[in-house]
Amino acid sequence: MSSKLFELRPVVSRVELEAGEKVETLEYSVGSLFIGTSAGNLVQYGLAERTDESGQRQFSANYITTKVIVAKSRVSFLYAAPAINRLLVLCDSTLFILNMSDLTILPMAGSNKLKGVSAVCINNNPTMDNPFSVEVCVAKKKQCQLALLTLTEDKLSVSKTRECSHPVLAMAMDGVYVCAALTTQYIVYNMENMTDTELFPLDPQSELLPTITRVDREEFLVLGPGNLGMFVKATGIAGRPPIQWSANFSNIVYTHPHIIGQGSELVAVYSIRDQGLKQGLSYSGGRFVGFFDGNIFLASSNNIDCVVPVPWEQQASSLLESGQVEEAVLLAKDTEEGNRVRQKAGFMYLKEGNFMKAEEMLLKGSTDVREVLSIFPGMLPIKSKFVRSIPPLHTIPDISSIKQTEIAPNQFLVSYLQSVINREGNSLESCTEVHTAMVKVLCDVSPTEVVAFLKDENTLLDQEDLAEFFIAKDLQHFLAVLHWKDNNAEAALKIWSLIVTEKLSDEYFPGVEFFCRQLSLCSEELMYNYCDVALQKDIKIGAKLFMKPQINFESDNQFIDNALNILSKYPEARTIFLEFLVLERKSDVEKHHTQLAMAFINQVKMAKDIQAEELSQNLSKLILTSKHLNAKFLLQNLKDTDLNYEKAILHGKLGEHDRALDILVNKLKDYKLAEHYCDDISANQPESKAKLLFLLLNIYMNPTSQMEKDKFTTLAVDLINNRAEDLNGTKVISILPETWNISIILPALRKFSRNLIHTQRMTKISKHLYKGENIQVHNKLVGCTKDPIFVMPNNYCVVCQKPFTSGGIARYPNGVMLHQDCIKDGEVCPITGEVFKIKL
């Protein structure tokens, strides 16, 4: 059984009755209490309700009158209709209609329908829209008939009738449905389409009269077999599980969510939600219970009481004490006291390990988050002045005392705090304590989320308390992030540098790349102080420190010089940085290019054979493509190396092509490389390429050693034949020895001939095109000058405002005339600004 939900308040301590007369039924409306008695009398009292100092409801009753309906006959039904000033009274199987004001019995047309009545019910959910009418259903005993009547202030009319198989003992109506208890069974009648639905038979062993109570739309509660309260729908199905009555009830009323049954010795309260017995009230001699305009009146033989709900605050408190948390929460209103009930419920759920319900109740109850944090050791800052609620909301000493489940308490705390943060944001009064606690608990539950939460600009933290926490837990990386958030970059970098150098350890530190990324955001001074840490750990990542994405060679000149100076201790990193400046950022500073070339030269000197070949390609590419190298300086540094091709290119950069080709042909004896040199150094400029190839041909034609004359002759012939398209044929033929057989260069001669013919033809085409253009220009000129220009004596120059007596005359196409000497721009009119240009 549940807690105390209702209590009794006296209404009429002793009803004015004759000896042996008893109360049978009640009706209450607009301040008047009507009492039907066993002697056929109708007693009227006036009721006044007030609330005393303790907040409890009190009633005062004053006797008004007694009206005899039918002497020595039982009054079994009363209904007041104040809208039409009528009172319905069932006495001696006759339904009387009284004037509610003076209790006079009114003669009504069709009153024969009101005699021989075995049961009466009112339709509280009528289908008609007239508020000044009452829909009444009466059961005629002899005729076994139901009659649906409409009562207004003026008349009583019969709407519908239908036959029944047996006399009706009791009934209730909702809408078009009438649930009736016949002498044999329960049945539901549809008064609109005249159908019926049989339910179940009456219990033959029960001595009680059947009771029928409307509980919801098209749903009724009836007395079933075995003293069960059966819920039935108009369709015949059971709407809810049945209730096992604890006693024999002669009357039953429903007021959501409670069902109240009245027996001869007690009043029982059940819940419609779980069909359980919630409370029992001892009440000797009970004869009637009814629900009237929010009031539940209870009658014994000669006194009337009111069943008053206990204030929900008391109910909820009692339910919480008995462990019925859900029921207590259902009672809680949206008030401060209601929130306190939800808070208590939340802590009770928490104690049982029901974290989902605990979080829901704590949030709904607007619980002070610190109240929750206080049971988690170490979550509140040491300097916090929070004191737990008085009176206390819970009995949990600390979180270790709650019931253990699969979910860790800290996981609950993360979910709860996140919900609070999402809902309240920074408007939360204890925002700093909540955010600080969130960081602490994340360190245990989800360390990967700590940094993101710390960096959030909306996060407000107790820096001192959190720093002590990180130190105690040896969470060095998080401590550094905290310093960074507090704009103490140097302290953060100091910790990170110790982690990078492995003087400290932290499994959550992302690594040297993260360190470099953070260091790149600092001042140049801090970068210079800590860059060695990164460079010593990882050369390539450390070099990226100086690679500003938006580096400016003018404004960042000093930074670049400092970086190169620092990186001089780290040749590989220095090379990477120089490659960034020259190859990626396209620096046009000579020393950057020269220093990069020197770096490549040093790499080649120190590398092994296979690796040296790959590195020399980088050097060659740089020397070929760069326009900002100090070639003389690099040649000096290449003297003692075998990088002859690179030397040749540098000589070419200085315009010393003969010397470059001499190195490739006579020193390296790499003739293919000599041709490549001509191609590379000419940079796809045909005239330059022809000049270089002709120079190479001259070297072949004039060998330094007569012993290699035949070999060089062969090279010369191959060069002429293979590169005829790139050579100047006229110059080549002019240097050929007379002793050569013309057939050996026949392929080249054919190409020379084709090139000459092609050149001749293209020259003729160009000549004719220019000639045509000239003709068109002359034609335009003729078109502009063929018409005469008439100059009148009063005409004058638009520029100098003088007459055309001397100096010649000029005219623009739009007719504007001026002296030839006054022309400033022959294509722009000096008056209108119109631009004239001959379009070909």
Side-chain angles (χ1 to χ4, degrees):
M1 187 177 293
S2 184
S3 62
K4 187 177 181 181
L5 304 178
F6 295 92
E7 56 188 2
L8 298 179
R9 290 279 186 275
V11 177
V12 182
S13 58
R14 185 173 183 82
V15 182
E16 298 288 340
L17 299 176
E18 299 291 335
E21 189 177 10
K22 298 179 180 179
V23 175
E24 293 289 342
T25 186
L26 302 174
E27 172 64 301
Y28 175 68
S29 179
V30 292
S32 292
L33 177 65
F34 300 98
I35 304 172
T37 71
S38 58
N41 292 325
L42 179 64
V43 183
Q44 182 180 9
Y45 278 83
L47 283 189
E49 182 181 350
R50 61 183 177 84
T51 303
D52 62 15
E53 295 178 356
S54 62
Q56 295 183 346
R57 294 170 62 188
Q58 301 291 341
F59 296 90
S60 59
N62 62 296
Y63 173 76
I64 296 176
T65 185
T66 297
K67 171 73 174 180
V68 178
I69 305 300
V70 178
K72 299 183 180 180
S73 293
R74 174 174 171 266
V75 175
S76 58
F77 175 83
L78 292 174
Y79 179 77
I84 57 175
N85 195 32
R86 296 293 178 262
L87 178 66
L88 278 65
V89 182
L90 179 61
C91 181
D92 192 25
S93 300
T94 301
L95 184 62
F96 295 92
I97 300 174
L98 279 65
N99 186 314
M100 193 171 168
S101 301
D102 56 12
L103 302 185
T104 57
I105 299 175
L106 302 175
M108 301 292 290
S111 58
N112 59 315
K113 291 289 184 181
L114 305 179
K115 295 181 179 180
V117 174
S118 60
V120 182
C121 68
I122 305 298
N123 188 358
N124 290 315
N125 183 28
T127 55
M128 55 187 179
D129 297 330
N130 185 3
F132 298 100
S133 66
V134 177
E135 197 168 51
V136 185
C137 186
V138 297
K140 304 298 289 291
K141 185 173 182 180
K142 291 184 178 180
Q143 294 90 338
C144 292
Q145 184 185 69
L146 291 179
L148 193 58
L149 312 176
T150 301
L151 175 64
T152 64
E153 188 174 5
D154 301 325
K155 64 178 181 177
L156 176 69
S157 58
V158 179
S159 301
K160 293 181 181 178
T161 60
R162 68 162 300 153
E163 302 300 322
C164 302
S165 59
H166 295 84
V168 175
L169 302 179
M171 61 182 178
M173 187 174 185
D174 180 79
V176 298
Y177 296 98
V178 176
C179 181
L182 308 185
T183 55
T184 57
Q185 65 176 350
Y186 289 100
I187 191 166
V188 176
Y189 293 105
N190 187 323
M191 298 300 289
E192 185 176 32
N193 55 26
M194 295 301 168
T195 60
D196 58 66
T197 303
E198 294 184 359
L199 300 177
F200 47 85
L202 267 65
D203 187 355
Q205 298 179 354
S206 176
E207 298 179 356
L208 293 174
L209 286 174
T211 58
I212 303 176
T213 306
R214 176 189 178 274
V215 295
D216 203 350
R217 185 179 180 84
E218 299 179 6
E219 184 178 14
F220 305 93
L221 175 61
V222 302
L223 179 63
N227 204 26
L228 285 175
M230 307 286 290
F231 293 96
V232 293
K233 294 276 191 179
T235 54
I237 62 173
R240 313 168 199 265
I243 300 175
Q244 180 63 63
W245 299 130
S246 58
N248 295 327
F249 299 133
S250 54
N251 292 283
I252 295 173
V253 294
Y254 170 69
T255 171
H256 185 79
H258 298 114
I259 297 170
I260 300 174
Q262 168 258 314
S264 59
E265 297 297 330
L266 63 83
V267 175
V269 181
Y270 297 83
S271 172
I272 198 171
R273 294 192 178 102
D274 60 6
Q275 293 76 47
L277 177 62
K278 301 303 177 183
Q279 185 184 2
L281 294 169
S282 177
Y283 194 75
S284 179
R287 298 183 63 80
F288 181 82
V289 66
F291 181 68
F292 311 104
D293 296 333
N295 297 293
I296 304 171
F297 288 120
L298 182 64
S300 63
S301 298
N302 60 357
N303 61 287
I304 312 296
D305 296 285
C306 184
V307 181
V308 180
V310 172
W312 70 264
E313 295 89 347
Q314 295 181 24
Q315 293 184 42
S317 178
S318 178
L319 287 168
L320 288 173
E321 290 176 3
S322 62
Q324 299 179 72
V325 183
E326 289 188 14
E327 294 185 15
V329 170
L330 289 173
L331 288 174
K333 309 294 184 183
D334 292 330
T335 61
E336 184 176 345
E337 188 61 33
N339 282 341
R340 188 171 179 83
V341 170
R342 295 184 189 95
Q343 292 169 14
K344 288 183 177 181
F347 283 108
M348 292 182 73
Y349 282 128
L350 182 59
K351 190 172 184 179
E352 293 299 316
N354 190 342
F355 296 125
M356 185 179 295
K357 294 292 289 184
E359 179 179 340
E360 180 187 353
M361 288 299 104
L362 291 171
L363 289 172
K364 285 186 176 180
S366 301
T367 310
D368 187 332
V369 187
R370 294 171 296 180
E371 193 77 45
V372 179
L373 294 177
S374 67
I375 63 176
F376 286 82
M379 286 299 162
L380 281 174
I382 297 174
K383 296 181 180 179
S384 176
K385 298 180 180 179
F386 172 73
V387 178
R388 289 186 180 181
S389 174
I390 299 174
L393 293 171
H394 58 86
T395 58
I396 305 174
D398 61 63
I399 198 63
S400 61
S401 64
I402 71 168
K403 183 179 179 181
Q404 299 298 314
T405 64
E406 295 180 358
I407 302 174
N410 279 352
Q411 288 180 320
F412 152 76
L413 186 59
V414 167
S415 176
Y416 170 65
L417 292 178
Q418 190 62 61
S419 298
V420 172
I421 293 170
N422 291 341
R423 187 176 71 173
E424 303 292 342
N426 287 359
S427 62
L428 190 66
E429 182 181 356
S430 53
C431 187
T432 301
E433 286 108 324
V434 171
H435 288 181
T436 303
M438 186 66 169
V439 174
K440 292 178 180 179
V441 73
L442 280 176
C443 290
D444 175 60
V445 175
S446 182
T448 55
E449 297 181 38
V450 173
V451 172
F453 191 80
L454 285 172
K455 288 183 176 180
D456 191 334
E457 60 182 11
N458 294 320
T459 302
L460 303 176
L461 301 169
D462 187 324
Q463 303 279 348
E464 184 179 349
D465 180 76
L466 206 51
E468 292 179 4
F469 174 81
F470 287 147
I471 293 171
K473 297 289 185 179
D474 198 24
L475 298 170
Q476 302 297 333
H477 173 52
F478 298 158
L479 178 60
V481 175
L482 182 65
H483 286 314
W484 185 273
K485 181 180 177 68
D486 198 30
N487 295 319
N488 191 352
E490 188 167 4
L493 291 172
K494 184 176 181 180
I495 295 173
W496 283 326
S497 65
L498 291 174
I499 298 175
V500 171
T501 56
E502 299 182 0
K503 293 178 181 178
L504 291 176
S505 62
D506 193 319
E507 61 179 309
Y508 304 117
F509 178 63
V512 66
E513 191 168 355
F514 168 82
F515 175 70
C516 290
R517 189 163 57 249
Q518 297 301 111
L519 185 56
S520 67
L521 301 174
C522 298
S523 65
E524 291 182 6
E525 182 181 357
L526 285 175
M527 185 185 295
Y528 299 151
N529 291 340
Y530 288 95
C531 64
D532 288 327
V533 175
L535 289 164
Q536 290 169 8
K537 187 68 176 180
D538 192 308
I539 286 290
K540 293 182 179 179
I541 294 177
K544 291 181 180 179
L545 265 175
F546 305 96
M547 298 181 187
K548 293 183 178 180
Q550 305 298 329
I551 197 166
N552 186 293
F553 293 104
E554 294 183 4
S555 59
D556 293 328
N557 181 52
Q558 186 60 47
F559 169 77
I560 295 172
D561 290 344
N562 292 339
L564 289 171
N565 184 45
I566 291 170
L567 293 175
S568 60
K569 297 181 291 184
Y570 310 97
E572 184 180 351
R574 193 169 188 270
T575 303
I576 293 171
F577 181 59
L578 286 167
E579 286 179 328
F580 166 75
L581 295 176
V582 173
L583 303 179
E584 187 174 333
R585 303 305 301 165
K586 308 299 181 185
S587 170
D588 56 2
V589 180
E590 177 269 326
K591 66 179 179 181
H592 297 162
H593 289 252
T594 303
Q595 288 182 28
L596 179 58
M598 285 300 301
F600 285 156
I601 291 170
N602 292 331
Q603 286 181 346
V604 172
K605 287 180 178 179
M606 298 175 63
K608 297 180 180 178
D609 294 340
I610 299 176
Q611 191 177 10
E613 184 177 350
E614 295 178 358
L615 293 171
S616 65
Q617 291 178 1
N618 294 335
L619 177 61
S620 301
K621 184 178 180 181
L622 175 64
I623 295 173
L624 278 169
T625 57
S626 175
K627 297 179 181 179
H628 308 287
L629 288 169
N630 187 336
K632 290 183 179 180
F633 175 76
L634 291 175
L635 279 171
Q636 291 176 0
N637 284 276
L638 287 173
K639 279 183 179 179
D640 301 329
T641 67
D642 296 330
L643 301 172
N644 293 300
Y645 181 63
E646 287 74 14
K647 293 178 186 177
I649 297 172
L650 288 170
H651 281 298
K653 290 280 185 179
L654 295 171
E656 301 171 353
H657 299 298
D658 53 348
R659 191 171 178 181
L661 290 171
D662 180 64
I663 291 172
L664 296 172
V665 174
N666 295 318
K667 191 172 183 180
L668 286 180
K669 299 188 183 300
D670 192 333
Y671 313 111
K672 286 290 184 184
L673 195 59
E675 284 190 46
H676 287 317
Y677 167 82
C678 296
D679 293 331
D680 292 339
I681 208 73
S682 63
N684 294 322
Q685 297 178 4
E687 292 183 4
S688 177
K689 185 183 292 186
K691 183 178 178 181
L692 291 173
L693 288 172
F694 184 73
L695 190 61
L696 177 60
L697 180 62
N698 269 320
I699 293 174
Y700 287 159
M701 298 295 289
N702 301 287
T704 56
S705 173
Q706 291 298 318
M707 296 178 63
E708 294 182 338
K709 184 175 182 179
D710 292 340
K711 179 181 177 182
F712 274 42
T713 300
T714 303
L715 291 170
V717 171
D718 289 342
L719 180 64
I720 293 170
N721 285 327
N722 294 333
R723 305 300 295 269
E725 291 181 351
D726 297 321
L727 288 163
N728 187 320
T730 304
K731 289 184 178 181
V732 171
I733 293 172
S734 68
I735 67 169
L736 293 178
E738 295 180 357
T739 58
W740 277 26
N741 188 339
I742 199 71
S743 62
I744 63 175
I745 59 169
L746 188 60
L749 290 174
R750 289 173 180 164
K751 291 180 180 178
F752 290 156
S753 175
R754 258 195 320 269
N755 288 343
L756 287 171
I757 293 170
H758 175 72
T759 303
Q760 184 182 19
R761 288 173 177 171
M762 293 303 296
T763 303
K764 288 181 178 180
I765 291 171
S766 298
K767 175 184 175 182
H768 289 300
L769 287 172
Y770 283 121
K771 187 176 180 180
E773 182 182 354
N774 184 263
I775 292 171
Q776 289 179 5
V777 171
H778 276 82
N779 184 46
K780 292 280 187 181
L781 179 60
V782 170
C784 293
T785 59
K786 66 180 180 178
D787 296 328
I789 299 173
F790 299 96
V791 181
M792 305 304 292
N794 60 346
N795 290 147
Y796 57 89
C797 175
V798 297
V799 176
C800 67
Q801 308 295 319
K802 294 180 181 180
F804 296 106
T805 55
S806 62
I809 301 173
R811 178 180 179 273
Y812 284 96
N814 61 353
V816 175
M817 293 187 295
L818 68 166
H819 291 117
Q820 287 183 346
D821 296 338
C822 293
I823 297 174
K824 293 183 180 180
D825 190 336
E827 295 182 352
V828 180
C829 174
I831 301 299
T832 65
E834 186 177 355
V835 178
F836 305 102
K837 196 169 184 180
I838 297 175
K839 296 183 180 179
L840 300 178

